[in-house]
């Protein structure tokens, strides 16, 4: 009996550990609305339903998005909306969020992906390198239920800073829905 209680408590701990804000994977649209607030905007995007709202997270302005397929929450994303005149400010934002994530999850070293190494030796130009697609920076974290991807990418002089959370259990639901969508196109 004591062993069964320990296993039960372990399962309960694991099942709530991968929450995003006040939500858990698999929640319905209505459950997320009631948990996260009535000011969420709903839109249909291909085969997904997306709920969004603007807020501040980690001291940064962001759009938070909740992704649903078949009325199940399977992924979320913070899309940071801070703007900077010096592109290296985006790298500072990325590092600020990374330091917060490193406190909560097992830290991983960021991965620097260079498509063009022209500015590799000049860190004062790395923000510009990101804005033109020469450099992208990634960090990945995970816990028992969630894969977390932190990215700083760019193209055409615009920089995108995202933090995405995907349910490990429901990650295949998006690929399956995309496959069904592609088949229905014919």
């Amino acid at each position: 009996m004591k062993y069964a209680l320990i296993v039960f408590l372990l399962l309960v701990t694991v099942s709530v550990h991968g929450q995003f804000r006040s939500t858990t994977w698999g929640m319905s649209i209505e459950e997320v609305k009631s948990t996260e607030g009535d000011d969420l905007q709903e839109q249909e995007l291909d085969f997904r339903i997306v709920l969004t709202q603007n807020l501040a997270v980690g001291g940064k302005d962001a759009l938070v998005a909740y992704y649903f397929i078949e009325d199940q929450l399977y992924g979320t994303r913070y899309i940071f909306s801070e703007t900077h005149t010096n592109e290296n400010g985006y790298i500072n934002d990325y590092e600020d969020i990374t330091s917060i994530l490193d406190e909560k999850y097992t830290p991983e070293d960021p991965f620097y992906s260079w498509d063009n190494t022209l500015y590799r030796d000049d860190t004062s130009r790395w923000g510009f390198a990101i804005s033109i697609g020469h450099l992208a920076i990634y960090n990945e974290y995970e816990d028992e239920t969630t894969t977390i991807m932190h990215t700083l990418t760019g193209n055409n002089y615009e920089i995108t800073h995202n933090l995405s959370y995907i349910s490990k259990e429901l990650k295949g639901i998006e690929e399956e829905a995309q496959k069904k969508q592609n088949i229905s196109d014919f």
Side-chain angles (χ1 to χ4, degrees):
M1 184 67 169
K2 183 177 179 181
Y3 177 75
L5 179 61
I6 291 170
V7 169
F8 173 75
L9 290 173
L10 182 61
L11 289 173
V12 168
T13 302
V14 169
S15 70
V16 299
H17 186 69
Q19 295 178 350
F20 177 81
R21 300 178 55 79
S22 298
T23 65
T24 56
W25 302 129
M27 284 179 113
S28 70
I29 293 169
E30 289 308 313
E31 289 172 322
V32 170
K33 283 181 177 180
S34 70
T35 302
E36 293 296 305
D38 291 335
D39 60 337
L40 290 163
Q41 302 298 311
E42 184 175 332
Q43 64 182 0
E44 192 169 332
L45 182 64
D46 296 324
F47 49 85
R48 294 174 286 255
I49 301 292
V50 183
L51 299 179
T52 60
Q53 71 182 152
N54 291 303
L55 48 79
V57 60
K60 313 286 181 220
D61 290 334
L63 176 77
V64 63
Y66 301 86
Y67 297 92
F68 298 84
I69 294 177
E70 299 172 4
D71 202 26
Q72 292 183 82
L73 178 65
Y74 74 94
T76 58
R77 178 176 293 161
Y78 289 121
I79 304 162
F80 293 96
S81 54
E82 297 284 321
T83 58
H84 301 282
T85 53
N86 178 337
E87 292 96 345
N88 278 1
Y90 295 98
I91 296 172
N92 295 336
D93 289 349
Y94 181 88
E95 290 171 346
D96 290 345
I97 299 299
T98 295
S99 67
I100 295 168
L101 293 168
D102 285 352
E103 288 182 34
K104 185 170 183 177
Y105 305 102
T106 304
E108 298 286 334
D109 289 332
F111 177 72
Y112 295 84
S113 175
W114 288 93
D115 284 344
N116 182 321
T117 59
L118 180 63
Y119 300 105
R120 186 181 211 155
D121 295 328
D122 185 359
T123 57
S124 71
R125 303 285 299 199
W126 280 18
F128 179 71
I130 292 168
S131 78
I132 59 176
H134 288 195
L135 170 62
I137 307 173
Y138 304 91
N139 261 42
E140 188 170 323
Y141 302 88
E142 66 179 5
D143 64 21
E144 293 84 5
T145 63
T146 308
T147 300
I148 303 151
M149 181 64 81
H150 187 202
T151 62
L152 189 63
T153 60
N155 197 20
N156 293 325
Y157 304 99
E158 291 190 22
I159 295 177
T160 304
H161 181 193
N162 287 323
L163 181 57
S164 302
Y165 295 73
I166 300 290
S167 164
K168 288 180 178 180
E169 181 181 344
L170 297 172
K171 70 180 177 182
I173 197 170
E174 184 175 32
E175 289 94 14
E176 189 60 35
Q178 179 68 59
K179 188 176 178 181
K180 286 178 185 176
Q181 176 73 34
N182 291 344
I183 290 170
S184 72
D185 288 344
F186 296 95

